[in-house]
């Protein structure tokens, strides 16, 4: 019979704590949600000697039990809540050889909680190079704990750690640090108390380390200083950054193209197969027309999102990202943002959902809120299919400005527009919002290091899962509802669709007939009726009710627009060329003027650039801002703005 | 007479000096700071009276400041750095 | 046969609706202690 030991891993960021977690748990880990808090919790299991099994919770990196951001607060809660299923039996504090002094602050704080505590000192492999010597036995004695030197890179010390963990009952909880409250200085406020506490702890730690820690000061300052000088150079620093960024986007586009095609045809075929081979009936229809395309619509973005997070993870793991934040902070602050807003803004070009989640490390609520509100302006992956088809329709495919293809040019401009709008919106929000802003910006500048593949892979997996499940569930649910609204309609026109269409189209081949029936049904369904209802409102923008239906279905996900148009214009699955031809030929009620003119196209592009249509994003904003106020402001603000711009565009260009 | 005056002037500038006054590569010792203006996190990362601080680099546009406080490499904004008073180290 | 399919559809749609309803009306407890100006309460 196996006993389950609950272990909590806690430690400063950049100590390789996550690396250790990965080493102990391998793939046996998953990410979940703390109830009521917007932080991800990482749980994993590990096999220990003597037939023990451990459930390990990897707490967010923190410098102290006094939280300065959402992440850090969570760590403490787990250590206090005895009712929690994760309440640990033993706590492992992860430190590392170079910053041991600072790491020990957290260690002494954790000891005060009364758990059996183990001190793990990571990066043993770096000791020789850095001229560091540690007297582990003296340290263990003075800190009244067990100390293990490990290297999560080479796996040194891991088995010793596992041995200790299996025998955790033998470890006595102890408090090595005792606060001296007999000082002359009066301490009134909580902050003063914390300060005095911290100062005394450091005095205690300094004394201990004097005995057990030696470092030869002629360290490898070399590489770090050299890299810092180039990467943060006042000109080259920026050039290098934008060069890297540019290449990331290039790679992103070209690498995801093929996987996306594969996924697209897979789901298309799956849908067809189900339709043709399952017992005919409403459920089969729901499956083939609602659920499978719904899931397909989510899965198809996984390549893009995974690749972007791969690049970002590499930049983060090497330590470069901190330098980018450093370079960009001053500029960003002019717009009410922070250097730390760079990651969310870049991530937003894949999907706003993981981007918004990445704002959790920002200390200033105002900067964080503004970042959350403007990130959706960046051109996310879902807008691309819409852009592609409209550009294909109304922009000539020849070379224009600077010999560049006009279509590619417009696409690039749309991307630029996304960024510029985000920045401008941030600027305005910064001036308008009356929220206290603080400058408690602190970012550690870690040592440069080569990223470990293991860590990168698990990081990417984590972020991609976040997208798939957070965005995915909502997209799927809405897809199902939209299917219902599109498959049923009021009145007899809908009920007798098949008869009506067949009668007026005698001698039509079966597949073409079926497509026509589908189109008729859609027109007379609930959605179709609603589309016709809003037509007067969208006519000034140059749209008709058919596009109106497309706008409504975009509430599930923006790219659904294209599939919807395909159905409306009676085009079969996977027939983009035909779709474009059909759309080109579409005329207005007068029977003569084409609908998809340049004016309408631009109007549509601008609408999709600015409107808040993604319900999944609304859900995340609600979660991260703890309420409906901001997501609703975002929804109405962005969509009204989109309406206005599209209106002006159409009216001036037509 | 001159000597005494000079020394007096020197100690005046030392008292008023804060982190943002440091030159690149210059080291100093932290003397005092206003608890309410600097984040607790900074203190916990080692910014306490008596710690050695070195200005490693300044960002283009002079903000933020890349510091080495007590062995920890970190960056903070100029307006916070200005709140932390230091005393120059003689002969680093 | 047809009835079973119909019931299945109603079931799925109901689940979708319930999921969305919960998303809209869930009251998450906000973190009270957010450190330096954390949560925008």
């Amino acid at each position: 019979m196996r006993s389950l030991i609950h272990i909590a891993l806690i430690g400063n960021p950049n100590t390789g704590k996550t690396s250790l977690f990965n080493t102990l748990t391998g793939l046996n880990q998953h990410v979940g949600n703390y109830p009521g808090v917007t932080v991800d919790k990482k749980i994993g299991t590990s096999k220990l000697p003597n037939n023990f099994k451990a459930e390990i919770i990897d707490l967010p990196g923190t410098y102290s039990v006094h939280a300065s951001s959402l992440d850090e607060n969570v760590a403490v809660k787990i250590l206090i809540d005895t009712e929690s299923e994760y309440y640990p039996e033993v706590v492992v504090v992860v430190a590392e050889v170079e910053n041991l002094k600072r790491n020990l602050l957290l260690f002494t704080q954790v000891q005060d909680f009364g758990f059996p505590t183990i001190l793990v000192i990571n990066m043993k492999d770096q000791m020789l190079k850095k001229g560091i010597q540690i007297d582990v036995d003296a340290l263990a004695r003075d800190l009244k704990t067990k100390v293990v030197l490990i290297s999560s890179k080479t796996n040194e010390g891991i088995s010793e750690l596992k041995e200790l963990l299996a025998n955790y009952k033998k470890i006595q909880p102890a408090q090595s640090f005792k606060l001296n409250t007999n000082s002359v200085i009066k301490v009134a406020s909580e902050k003063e108390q914390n300060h005095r506490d911290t100062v005394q702890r450091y005095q205690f730690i300094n004394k201990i380390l004097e005995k057990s820690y030696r470092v030869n000061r002629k360290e490898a300052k070399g590489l770090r200083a050299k890299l810092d000088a180039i990467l943060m150079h006042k000109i080259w620093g920026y050039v290098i950054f934008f060069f890297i960024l540019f290449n990331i986007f290039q790679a992103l586009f070209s690498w995801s193209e093929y996987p996306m095609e594969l996924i697209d045809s897979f789901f298309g075929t799956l849908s067809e197969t189900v339709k043709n081979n399952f017992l005919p009936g409403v459920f089969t229809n729901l499956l083939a027309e609602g659920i499978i395309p719904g899931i397909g619509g989510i899965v198809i973005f996984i390549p893009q999102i995974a690749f972007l997070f791969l690049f970002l993870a590499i930049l983060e793991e090497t330590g470069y990202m901190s330098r980018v934040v450093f370079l960009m902070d001053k500029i960003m602050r002019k717009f009410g943002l922070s250097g730390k807003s760079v990651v969310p803004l870049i991530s937003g070009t894949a999907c706003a959902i993981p981007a918004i989640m990445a704002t959790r490390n920002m200390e200033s609520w105002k900067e964080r809120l503004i970042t959350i509100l403007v990130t959706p302006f960046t051109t996310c992956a879902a807008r691309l299919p819409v852009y592609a088809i409209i550009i294909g329709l109304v922009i000539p495919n020849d070379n224009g400005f600077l010999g560049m293809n006009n279509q590619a040019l417009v696409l690039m401009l749309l991307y630029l527009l996304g960024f510029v709008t985000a920045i401008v919106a941030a600027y305005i929000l910064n001036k308008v919002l009356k929220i206290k802003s603080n400058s408690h910006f602190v970012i550690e500048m870690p040592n440069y290091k080569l990223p470990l593949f293991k860590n990168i892979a698990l990081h990417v997996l984590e972020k991609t899962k976040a997208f798939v499940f957070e965005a995915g569930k909502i997209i799927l649910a809405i897809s199902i509802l939209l299917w219902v609204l599109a498959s049923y309609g009021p009145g007899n026109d809908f009920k007798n669709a098949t008869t009506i269409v067949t009668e007026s189209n005698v001698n039509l081949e079966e597949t073409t007939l079926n497509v026509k029936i589908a189109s008729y049904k859609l027109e007379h369904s609930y959605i179709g009726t609603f589309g016709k209802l809003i037509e007067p409102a969208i006519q000034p923008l140059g749209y008709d009710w058919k596009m109106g239906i497309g706008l409504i279905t975009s509430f599930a996900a923006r790219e659904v627009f294209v599939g919807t148009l395909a159905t409306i214009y009676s085009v079969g699955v996977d027939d983009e060329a035909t779709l474009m031809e059909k759309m080109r030929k579409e005329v207005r009620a007068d029977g003569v003027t084409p609908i998809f003119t340049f004016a309408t196209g631009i109007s549509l592009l601008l609408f999709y650039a600015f409107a808040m249509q993604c319900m999944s994003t609304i859900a995340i904003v609600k979660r991260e801002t703890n309420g409906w106020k901001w997501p609703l402001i975002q929804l109405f603000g962005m969509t009204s703005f989109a309406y206005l711009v599209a209106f002006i565009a159409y009216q001036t260009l037509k | 007479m001159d000597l005494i005056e000079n020394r007096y002037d020197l100690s005046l500038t030392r008292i008023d000096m804060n982190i943002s006054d440091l030159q690149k590569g210059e080291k100093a010792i932290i003397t005092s700071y206003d608890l309410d203006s600097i984040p607790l996190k900074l203190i916990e990362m080692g910014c306490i009276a008596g710690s050695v601080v070195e200005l490693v680099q300044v960002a283009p546009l002079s903000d933020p400041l890349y510091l080495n406080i007590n062995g920890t490499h970190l960056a903070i904004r100029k307006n916070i750095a200005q709140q932390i008073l230091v005393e120059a180290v003689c002969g680093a | 046969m047809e009835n079973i399919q119909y019931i299945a559809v109603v079931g799925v749609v109901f689940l979708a609706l319930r999921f969305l309803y919960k998303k809209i009306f869930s009251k998450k407890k906000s973190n009270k202690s957010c450190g330096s100006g954390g949560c925008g309460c």
Side-chain angles (χ1 to χ4, degrees):
Chain A
M1 194 188 69
R2 275 204 182 145
S3 323
L4 190 65
I5 307 179
H6 293 95
I7 303 176
L9 271 188
I10 192 172
N12 284 189
N14 299 311
T15 50
K17 174 172 67 70
T18 302
S19 221
L20 174 62
F21 178 74
N22 290 340
T23 305
L24 290 174
T25 60
L27 285 167
N28 301 322
Q29 50 172 281
H30 66 273
V31 176
N33 230 260
Y34 292 103
V37 176
T38 61
V39 178
D40 298 329
K41 66 176 168 214
K42 270 177 38 183
I43 317 279
T45 55
S46 180
K47 281 213 268 276
L48 298 178
N50 303 338
N51 248 342
F52 280 107
K53 195 163 163 208
E55 187 181 74
I56 309 180
I57 181 168
D58 183 14
L59 297 174
T62 181
Y63 295 101
S64 134
V65 297
H66 303 118
S68 67
S69 64
L70 264 55
D71 296 38
E72 303 181 345
N73 204 9
V74 170
V76 189
K77 286 232 176 96
I78 295 287
L79 297 179
I80 297 178
D81 186 6
T82 51
E83 303 291 312
S84 162
E85 51 174 322
Y86 301 110
Y87 188 69
E89 272 126 351
V90 55
V91 177
V92 174
V93 180
V94 183
E96 51 98 358
V97 294
E98 199 169 355
N99 289 297
L100 188 57
K101 190 192 301 192
R102 189 191 69 219
N103 300 158
L104 286 180
L105 178 75
L106 180 63
F107 176 79
T108 58
Q109 290 176 337
V110 170
Q111 263 193 325
D112 289 349
F113 282 92
F115 295 101
T117 316
I118 300 176
L119 176 65
V120 164
I121 307 180
N122 200 354
M123 304 194 190
K124 180 178 180 182
D125 49 296
Q126 301 272 318
M127 282 173 70
L128 199 61
K129 196 175 7 164
K130 300 206 150 101
I132 297 175
Q133 289 169 302
I134 301 179
D135 184 352
V136 174
D137 295 320
L139 202 55
R141 242 179 300 130
D142 289 331
L143 288 175
K144 301 192 184 154
T145 185
K146 298 267 185 267
V147 179
V148 190
L149 263 180
I150 67 163
S151 165
S152 52
K153 203 153 83 171
T154 64
N155 284 345
E156 261 181 280
I158 301 290
S159 41
E160 192 187 334
L161 175 62
K162 282 191 171 179
E163 216 27 80
L164 268 179
L165 287 171
N167 295 307
Y168 77 94
K169 295 214 172 107
K170 299 211 184 106
I171 305 174
Q172 289 284 17
Q175 273 184 308
S176 53
F177 166 76
K178 293 244 171 1
L179 183 64
N180 181 359
T181 48
N182 297 329
S183 60
V184 184
I185 311 155
K186 266 196 173 267
V187 282
S189 71
E190 189 181 332
K191 194 153 189 195
E192 284 173 343
Q193 285 177 354
N194 288 334
H195 178 244
R196 181 186 62 178
D197 182 273
T198 307
V199 171
Q200 284 193 17
R201 279 182 202 268
Y202 267 117
Q203 287 170 338
F204 171 71
I205 292 167
N206 279 333
K207 258 204 279 229
I208 293 185
L209 288 183
E210 255 167 50
K211 283 192 276 170
S212 38
Y213 185 83
R214 291 262 176 289
V215 55
N216 187 347
R217 284 286 163 196
K218 282 192 261 127
E219 330 139 29
K221 233 181 165 195
L223 184 63
R224 176 198 218 137
K226 280 199 206 107
L227 280 174
D228 278 341
I230 307 172
L231 295 175
M232 297 200 284
H233 186 267
K234 60 172 169 246
I235 299 177
W236 289 113
Y238 293 102
V239 169
I240 293 175
F241 174 54
F242 285 112
F243 177 73
I244 291 178
L245 215 57
F246 180 73
N247 281 306
I248 287 179
F249 282 119
Q250 281 267 46
L252 206 60
F253 272 123
S254 46
W255 292 12
S256 6
E257 213 180 313
Y258 186 57
M260 281 175 87
E261 275 170 31
L262 284 178
I263 295 174
D264 201 21
S265 52
F266 171 75
F267 277 91
T269 323
L270 187 63
S271 181
E272 285 279 304
T273 319
V274 167
K275 191 96 199 258
N276 297 335
N277 295 325
F278 278 35
L279 286 160
V282 279
F283 186 74
T284 308
N285 291 347
L286 171 61
L287 204 56
E289 293 160 18
I291 295 179
I292 292 177
I295 298 178
I298 303 158
V299 174
I300 200 166
F301 289 116
I302 289 180
Q304 254 174 318
I305 290 170
F307 284 133
L308 184 67
F309 279 110
L310 175 67
F311 294 125
L312 288 177
I314 293 176
L315 293 182
E316 183 91 51
E317 283 277 314
T318 50
Y320 179 61
M321 206 39 113
S322 306
R323 275 76 185 173
V324 172
V325 171
F326 182 76
L327 276 178
M328 301 298 287
D329 188 55
K330 186 76 192 261
I331 306 172
M332 300 290 247
R333 281 177 69 197
K334 292 209 180 351
F335 298 99
L337 299 165
S338 146
K340 293 184 179 178
S341 307
V342 169
V343 174
L345 285 175
I346 298 178
S347 306
T349 56
C351 174
I353 283 125
I356 290 173
M357 298 204 284
T359 61
R360 288 170 187 165
N361 64 351
M362 294 172 72
E363 298 97 347
S364 162
W365 169 244
K366 189 174 184 187
E367 287 168 357
R368 180 164 179 241
L369 177 65
I370 294 181
T371 307
I372 291 176
L373 291 177
V374 306
T375 295
F377 276 120
T378 55
T379 310
C380 74
R383 288 177 169 102
L384 280 180
V386 182
Y387 286 174
I389 201 164
I390 302 297
I391 290 178
L393 261 178
V394 303
I395 309 284
N397 190 12
D398 50 14
N399 291 342
F401 186 67
L402 288 184
M404 287 169 52
N405 178 294
N406 276 325
Q407 292 186 336
L409 204 57
V410 173
L411 186 60
M412 264 173 55
L413 280 174
L414 284 168
Y415 263 94
L416 199 62
L417 187 64
F419 274 117
V420 170
T421 314
I423 303 289
V424 171
Y427 184 79
I428 297 174
L429 283 171
N430 189 35
K431 293 270 184 256
V432 165
L433 290 178
K434 298 270 169 282
I435 302 175
K436 204 168 71 105
S437 145
N438 73 51
S439 265
H440 290 181
F441 169 95
V442 180
I443 184 167
E444 190 182 349
M445 305 286 264
N447 243 332
Y448 290 103
K449 61 182 198 271
L450 278 169
L452 282 175
F453 174 72
K454 193 173 52 172
N455 291 342
I456 304 264
L458 284 161
H459 180 114
V460 174
L461 195 64
E462 192 185 310
K463 289 269 149 74
T464 312
K465 272 182 14 181
F467 157 69
V468 170
F469 293 117
E470 292 302 330
K473 285 194 281 197
I474 295 178
I475 293 176
L476 186 59
I478 298 184
S479 297
I480 292 174
L481 290 184
L482 287 179
W483 174 85
V484 172
L485 294 173
S487 310
Y488 294 93
N492 289 321
D493 277 340
F494 185 85
K495 260 206 291 200
N496 305 321
T498 322
T499 340
I500 297 176
V501 178
T502 321
E503 271 171 20
S504 50
N505 285 293
V506 204
N507 294 332
L508 207 53
E509 189 223 337
E510 198 189 333
T511 18
T512 329
L513 183 66
N514 282 336
V515 197
K516 262 201 183 283
I517 295 177
S519 171
Y520 186 88
K521 275 187 163 173
L522 184 59
E523 185 181 331
H524 293 94
S525 64
Y526 287 107
I527 285 191
T529 317
F530 194 61
K532 295 215 187 115
L533 209 69
I534 64 169
E535 193 175 26
I538 57 178
Q539 239 164 9
L541 275 58
Y543 316 150
D544 64 356
W545 61 269
K546 292 183 184 176
M547 281 188 264
I549 297 178
L551 288 180
I552 296 173
T553 57
S554 291
F555 271 108
R558 290 181 174 102
E559 78 275 14
V560 173
F561 180 74
V562 181
T564 308
L565 286 189
T567 314
I568 296 176
Y569 293 115
S570 310
V571 176
V573 190
D574 277 348
D575 214 340
E576 204 179 275
T578 324
L579 176 60
M580 272 210 255
E581 267 181 61
K582 281 266 184 134
M583 286 167 76
R584 248 186 264 272
K585 296 206 198 111
E586 278 287 314
V587 291
R588 295 190 182 282
D590 63 9
V592 177
T593 27
I595 291 210
F596 284 101
T597 58
F598 183 74
T600 306
I602 298 292
S603 161
L604 206 51
L605 287 174
L606 289 173
F607 188 81
Y608 269 83
F610 299 127
M612 171 52 100
Q613 295 158 294
C614 179
M615 291 297 108
S616 311
T617 308
I618 298 272
I620 286 288
V621 176
K622 172 191 171 260
R623 203 174 76 165
E624 302 284 317
T625 59
N626 273 315
W628 277 108
K629 173 175 162 197
W630 291 112
L632 285 177
I633 290 179
Q634 208 177 21
L635 178 63
F636 289 118
M638 285 176 76
T639 312
S640 333
F641 178 64
Y643 187 89
L644 193 66
V645 175
F647 173 76
I648 295 175
Y650 180 70
Q651 295 296 337
T652 39
L653 290 172
K654 71 169 179 184
Chain B
M1 267 310 244
D2 282 9
L3 262 132
I4 298 172
E5 268 178 12
N6 282 346
R7 222 177 286 151
Y8 188 62
D9 283 330
L10 257 172
S11 60
L12 265 181
T13 41
R14 254 194 230 149
I15 291 170
D16 284 323
M17 190 161 90
N18 64 59
I19 289 184
S20 67
D21 294 325
L22 292 174
Q23 300 295 323
K24 179 171 171 175
E26 191 181 343
K27 289 195 181 138
I29 298 188
I30 297 176
T31 52
S32 68
Y33 37 82
D34 176 15
L35 264 189
D36 291 321
S37 344
I38 62 170
L40 182 62
K41 183 168 178 174
L42 198 51
I43 298 174
E44 287 163 341
M45 284 177 82
C47 172
I48 50 184
S51 297
V52 178
V53 55
E54 176 191 346
L55 177 63
V56 179
Q57 213 168 330
V58 182
L61 310 168
S62 79
D63 199 354
L65 301 166
Y66 179 4
L67 310 168
N68 179 349
I69 299 184
N70 216 5
T72 296
H73 288 82
L74 50 77
I76 55 176
R77 289 179 179 159
K78 190 169 180 178
N79 53 8
I80 298 292
Q82 286 169 332
Q83 305 290 328
I84 305 171
L85 299 178
V86 297
E87 171 178 273
V89 168
C90 310
Chain C
M1 232 336 110
E2 258 204 23
N3 281 338
I4 297 181
Q5 290 230 1
Y6 193 69
I7 294 173
V9 171
V10 171
V12 170
V13 173
F14 172 72
L15 285 173
L17 281 169
R18 195 180 74 160
F19 169 77
L20 290 172
Y21 178 81
K22 272 205 200 143
K23 275 273 168 191
I24 297 175
F25 292 105
S26 65
K27 260 299 174 193
K28 294 245 152 123
K29 282 195 295 256
S30 62
N31 291 344
K32 277 307 157 131
S33 53
C34 297
S36 30
C39 289
C41 316

